[in-house]
């Protein structure tokens, strides 16, 4: 079985995170930024984890990122890459690297946003290497 | 000289089982409690404080106090995964110093090899990080592997250096008749074992076992009446480290905070330690923790652990002389308790003769909980022989 044949579990969605998942369904990655201190945080919260302001707002990420770290999960029927990707907006998120050569993934590699459908209808934000 | 100590470990007991057939989790907790109390020369009726974590069944301290017939005036169920029991040690000392209790019992037990064992964490829908992590299939091993990968990238740490941690543990487990894996392994054995999640091989990972352990912590006055097998708690520190709103740094652990707090309280330094008992869920856990505790410069952990430096009798810093989680046992996937128990054996001069550190006077025991690649608890305890 290859990565492309993997099935992705549905995320747990709360009233706080519904807009994020509505966004991925439309093919966009939404981040939260604090109106008071200006910092972007991840995962998105109602309260800013840096200054504790309740004034946080959604905005669309550029979809550009770089691999901070990763690991190839080998001992499973469909090996896959788990990673932390640092977004152009400055925060890092746990994700998968897809449509890639498992043995060519590297820290520092530039990646761009794409999506994978889940078993439950929501889409997951994942990343694929930018062609050199 | 004799260093001041607010509390003493009077009793320590590790369950000999590694595969708990026909024993309930509640009984395992009670069995290790009984063992530790007998080791201390006390009875359950002497206990007035009880500490347990998420592995205790039912409503934790309440359910187990009833099962064991304890009459308590103090309880604490702080849950920080495998670091919980080293945190309990500090909390017990604080409660004793405050006069809230005088004989504190700490238990850990579980049977992950048996049926009906829940996951390491409860990922209910209300867990705030769950939706943003679970769908990407994180596991315990690939979580730690991501920290290892970044460490290798930033500092040039190699798989061979990581393997030396396992090699040292195996030399010690060879003398432990209860250890799950008693065979001595080489660096090549580790590198030739199947790759699980790059860069961690199967032999970079700890064992999975049933079992448990318990500690009895007492006031200085009671310790005086119990004799010189009591071990001093000289210092203790804690930390919670997490992903910091997405501004992440996976190159260090919570030990960078808990270690300096503990050493400062003890007025000691890493160079004073005769033994290091370091939670070893994976080889990378030990390497990074040793750096963060200050045994070497940040990034030099690979060089520090290589060439047998952690092997008792030949290396400069004997570590995990019972074989640790990598070879001996890892009861209910929580390794903090067993680190303290082996430190107590060493400080009493009761470790296996082949691994006993000569004149072992001062030791550090460190627990790690949660996951090093996301959110973790860290706790460091500095322990001293009765005359330290």
């Amino acid at each position: 079985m290859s990565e492309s044949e993997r099935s992705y579990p549905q995320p747990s969605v709360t009233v706080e995170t519904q807009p994020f998942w509505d966004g991925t369904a439309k093919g966009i990655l939404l981040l939260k930024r604090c109106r008071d201190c200006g910092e972007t945080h991840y995962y998105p919260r109602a309260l800013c984890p840096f200054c504790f302001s309740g004034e946080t707002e959604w905005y669309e990420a550029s979809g550009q990122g770089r691999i901070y770290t990763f690991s190839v999960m080998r001992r499973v029927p469909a090996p896959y890459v788990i990673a932390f990707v640092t977004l152009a907006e400055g925060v890092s998120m746990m994700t998968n690297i897809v449509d890639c050569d498992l043995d060519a993934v590297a820290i520092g590699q530039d990646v761009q946003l794409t999506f994978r459908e889940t078993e439950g209808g929501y889409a997951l934000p994942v990343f694929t290497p930018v062609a050199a | 000289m004799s260093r001041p100590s607010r509390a003493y470990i009077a009793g320590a007991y590790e369950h000999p089982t590694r595969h708990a057939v026909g024993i309930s989790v509640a009984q395992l907790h009670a069995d290790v409690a009984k063992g530790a109390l007998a080791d201390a020369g006390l009875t359950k009726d002497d206990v007035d404080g009880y500490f347990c974590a998420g592995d205790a069944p039912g409503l934790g301290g309440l359910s187990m106090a009833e099962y064991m017939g304890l009459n308590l005036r103090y309880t604490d169920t702080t849950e920080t995964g495998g670091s919980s029991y080293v945190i309990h040690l500090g909390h017990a000392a604080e409660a004793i110093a405050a006069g809230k209790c005088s004989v504190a019992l700490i238990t850990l037990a579980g049977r992950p090899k048996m049926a009906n064992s829940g996951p390491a964490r409860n990922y209910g829908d209300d867990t705030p990080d769950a939706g943003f992590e679970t769908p990407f299939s994180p596991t315990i091993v690939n979580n730690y592997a991501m920290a290892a990968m970044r460490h290798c990238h930033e500092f040039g740490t190699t798989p061979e250096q990581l393997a030396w941690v396992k090699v040292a543990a195996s030399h010690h487990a060879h003398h432990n008749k209860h250890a799950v894996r008693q065979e001595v392994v080489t660096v090549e054995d580790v590198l030739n074992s199947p790759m699980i999640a790059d860069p961690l091989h199967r032999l970079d990972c700890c064992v999975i076992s049933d079992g448990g352990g318990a500690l009895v912590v007492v006031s200085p006055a009671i310790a005086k009446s119990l004799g010189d097998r009591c071990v001093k708690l000289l210092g203790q520190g804690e930390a919670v480290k997490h992903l910091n709103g997405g501004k992440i740094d996976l190159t260090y652990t919570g030990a960078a905070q808990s270690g300096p707090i503990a050493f400062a309280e003890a007025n000691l330094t890493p160079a004073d330690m005769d033994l290091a008992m370091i939670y070893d869920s994976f080889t990378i856990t030990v390497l990074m923790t040793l750096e963060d505790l200050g045994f070497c410069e940040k990034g030099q952990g690979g060089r520090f652990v290589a060439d047998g430096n952690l092997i008792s009798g030949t290396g400069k810093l004997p570590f995990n002389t019972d074989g640790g989680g990598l070879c001996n046992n890892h009861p209910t996937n929580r390794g903090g308790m067993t680190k303290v128990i082996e430190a107590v054996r060493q400080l009493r001069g009761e470790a296996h003769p082949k691994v006993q550190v000569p004149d072992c006077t001062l030791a550090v025991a460190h627990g790690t909980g949660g996951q090093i690649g996301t959110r973790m608890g860290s706790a460091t305890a500095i322990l001293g022989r009765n005359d330290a």
Side-chain angles (χ1 to χ4, degrees), chain A residues 21-72:
Chain A
W21 299 106
D22 290 343
T24 61
K26 291 182 222 156
I28 60 173
L29 173 62
L30 290 175
L31 301 177
K32 270 264 178 116
R33 175 169 54 205
C34 176
R35 287 196 190 99
D36 282 324
C37 74
E39 291 285 335
T40 295
H41 64 267
Y42 192 86
Y43 52 87
R45 292 157 222 190
L47 277 71
C48 170
F50 301 113
C51 75
F52 234 32
S53 164
E55 297 296 318
T56 59
E57 61 183 1
W58 295 102
Y59 74 103
E60 186 179 347
S62 66
Q64 304 304 308
R66 185 165 287 176
I67 296 176
Y68 171 82
T69 192
F70 72 99
S71 180
V72 184

Side-chain angles (χ1 to χ4, degrees), chain A residues 29 63 85 87 93 95-98 111-114 125-129:
Chain A
L29 173 62
V85 164
L87 303 176
M93 59 182 284
T95 186
N96 295 129
I97 308 299
V98 302
V111 290
Q112 64 188 32
L113 178 66
T114 184
V126 297
F127 290 81
T128 187

Side-chain angles (χ1 to χ4, degrees), chain A residues 4 6 14 21 28 36 38 92 101 112 124:
Chain A
S4 59
R6 279 185 78 209
T14 69
W21 299 106
I28 60 173
D36 282 324
S92 299
D101 176 354
Q112 64 188 32
L124 293 181

Side-chain angles (χ1 to χ4, degrees), chain B residues 134-220:
Chain B
T134 310
F136 303 108
S137 301
T139 64
I140 296 174
V141 60
N142 67 24
N143 182 303
Y144 279 75
M146 285 195 286
M149 191 69 92
R150 186 73 198 182
H151 201 277
C152 293
H153 173 79
E154 291 211 13
F155 304 116
T157 306
T158 67
E160 289 78 7
Q161 291 170 335
L162 287 167
W164 271 109
V165 176
K166 169 73 174 189
V167 171
S170 78
H171 276 262
H172 302 148
H174 188 60
H175 304 292
N176 182 349
K177 67 181 181 184
H178 297 299
V180 172
R181 305 292 296 265
Q182 298 177 22
E183 72 278 14
V184 171
V185 301
T186 65
V187 168
E188 290 70 31
D189 291 334
V190 178
L191 299 183
N192 291 332
S193 65
M195 185 69 84
I196 305 296
D198 306 35
L200 299 180
H201 304 78
R202 176 174 287 161
L203 293 186
D204 285 299
C205 306
C206 57
V207 300
I208 294 174
S209 73
D210 300 338
L215 299 167
V216 177
V217 185
V218 302
S219 66

